[in-house]
Amino acid sequence: MLEWLVALCIVILVVLLWPGSKYFGTESPPDALLQGLGISQHAAKDKTIGCVSDREGSDGSQTACADEKTRTVALICKPSALANYLLKHCRTFSNYSPCGSWTWRASAFLQSVYEACWPYDSPVQFVRDNLQLSDDGLVALDWAVPSYQKRRRTSSHSTSPVLLIIPNSFGKITRNVLKLCETALSHGYLPAVFNRRSHNSTPLTTLKLQQFGDPADLREAVRYIRYRQPAGRLYAVSESSGSGLLLSYLGECGSSSYVTAAVCLSPLFRCQSWFENGLCWPLQWALVLYQKICLSRYRTALGETIQTDTLFSSCSLRGLEEALFCQTVHMGSAPASATGTSSSSNTSGAWEAYWERNEPLRDVDEVAIPVLSVCAQDDPIRGDTQSTVPLELFETNPHFFLLLTDRGGHCGFSTQSEGSAAGALGAVGPVVAPNSWMESHGTNWSHRALLEFFRATTDFFAAEERAKQLAARRRGLGGGAGGRVFRDRSVSTCKRAPACSHNIHAIYSWQRSYTR
């Protein structure tokens, strides 16, 4: 019902604003924006693929842009051997062709709302594991399985890679997540969707909710995944505001994250500023309403620790976040004669302290794996590119790569072939090669890009290890570690690993009770 209500509001809004919509058009972004991003206009002309140019005035940073007719994609990163390898082997980076102005998919606003709200009849089914945490809280892992598969469980001896998917921070499972699970399954991955406390029908067994960038629950879930699938590599993908949790986890765990490579789809980098500035009223109203509906079932229980009247009367995302995590109920607190000035200052101080603990980029220098961020310049949710995307991070940190498109909206990235290919779902046989399956079924361009990124980074580090072993043999230093060297490098031992063993019995007891 909520989806249809939001869709109706969007249709009315589009009818009113259609004539002057700024999201339509086939022209490139303004010259000032391109110059601010360091992408020269003539760089892409007369080039078909792999155009690489040094950014003017930068300290050796590198911008790669590629397209046949017009500049649509830029790879912004610090020059490195891995960056050159990605440019050479990731062909998807250079073949993005956004929809033309004659279709509604050309609107960044419409395709963003469509991907977030419109239902999707996915052939993928989910098997749930409810994991009991060390404080008796519950999070859930939804393992995606094809509908035709009779065996609902995957053997712990499977060597298939695991793809951990972190949805947005509001718990909404979008079309983007479902389509990503479908695509990952077709390429041999084991997709697992991480659900926070109380999200997506996960029972709330404690009065504690997960803060925006607190990776403690995700850390325990990752340990369980490694315990269940010890032979497979682990990759991670986050969507929208869920990238805050992934970046916090990678920064806090560093080389002990267990993750081989990660991708953030339309991430929010400066989250405190995003909450404070807010969104346009239709989007903010829809998100606030959705979050209130999800929390309303726990209103009585949450009333013991938070001010529920303030929570459910809030009209902004910042108000909700403050009511949940920055304002607590104090029995026998200050008398009624106290002024509201001290209360306001206390709330402001708590808000600043909250983001000191939860800002996604607080420990970004500790990230030790390749991280790709896929963003669009016309993203209506994130906001202006120059003020919301930390370009200096990608220019100076060799672990971070930014794939920046001219158009694509928020987790949209619709292509010209997507609409026509969607009608051919039933025309293709059951046995299709992975690449042809992606092209014929109109797989989302960002999903193709992230899968190529995972493959390329894995191949790159494997080749590096082989070269080191060969050099060691030539020096007479041995090198008999074999193929296990790469795995030990990419999936290092967690410093806190012994702490996870005490809760294995509880994990499996909940798994038997809640698995469906």
Side-chain angles (χ1 to χ4, degrees), residues 176 275 305:
N176 185 58
F275 273 91
T305 57

Side-chain angles (χ1 to χ4, degrees), residues 228-411:
R228 175 175 166 175
Q229 301 290 336
R233 297 192 184 99
L234 176 61
Y235 302 90
V237 177
S238 60
E239 175 197 47
S240 184
S241 55
S243 300
L245 179 58
L246 177 59
L247 292 174
S248 297
Y249 170 78
L250 296 177
E252 184 169 305
C253 292
S255 59
S256 302
S257 66
Y258 291 108
V259 180
T260 302
V263 172
C264 300
L265 298 178
S266 298
L268 303 177
F269 295 104
R270 297 183 171 97
C271 296
Q272 180 181 0
S273 176
W274 185 78
F275 273 91
E276 292 173 349
N277 296 333
L279 299 169
C280 58
W281 71 264
L283 295 176
Q284 182 150 217
W285 173 81
L287 289 176
V288 170
L289 177 61
Y290 180 82
Q291 197 165 5
K292 287 182 179 180
I293 291 175
C294 295
L295 293 172
S296 61
R297 61 184 300 190
Y298 305 112
R299 179 167 189 163
T300 303
L302 293 176
E304 300 179 13
T305 57
I306 65 174
Q307 300 175 3
T308 53
D309 292 339
T310 304
L311 173 66
F312 289 99
S313 61
S314 300
C315 300
S316 65
L317 293 174
R318 172 177 177 171
L320 283 177
E321 200 75 7
E322 276 188 310
L324 284 173
F325 303 109
C326 302
Q327 299 176 359
T328 57
V329 174
H330 300 285
M331 303 304 296
S333 55
S337 59
T339 61
T341 305
S342 60
S343 175
S344 176
S345 61
N346 290 338
T347 302
S348 176
W351 177 253
E352 295 295 332
Y354 173 77
W355 284 109
E356 287 181 5
R357 303 187 307 269
N358 290 277
E359 190 65 46
L361 300 181
R362 62 188 183 277
D363 295 320
V364 70
D365 292 336
E366 302 298 325
V367 176
I369 64 167
V371 180
L372 174 68
S373 297
V374 184
C375 302
Q377 294 181 16
D378 62 353
D379 190 331
I381 305 296
R382 189 196 64 245
D384 176 65
T385 302
Q386 295 187 66
S387 60
T388 59
V389 178
L391 297 176
E392 65 280 358
L393 170 66
F394 301 96
E395 297 169 356
T396 58
N397 194 315
H399 293 108
F400 283 85
F401 303 85
L402 174 62
L403 202 57
L404 186 64
T405 65
D406 287 351
R407 290 184 288 167
H410 190 76
C411 298

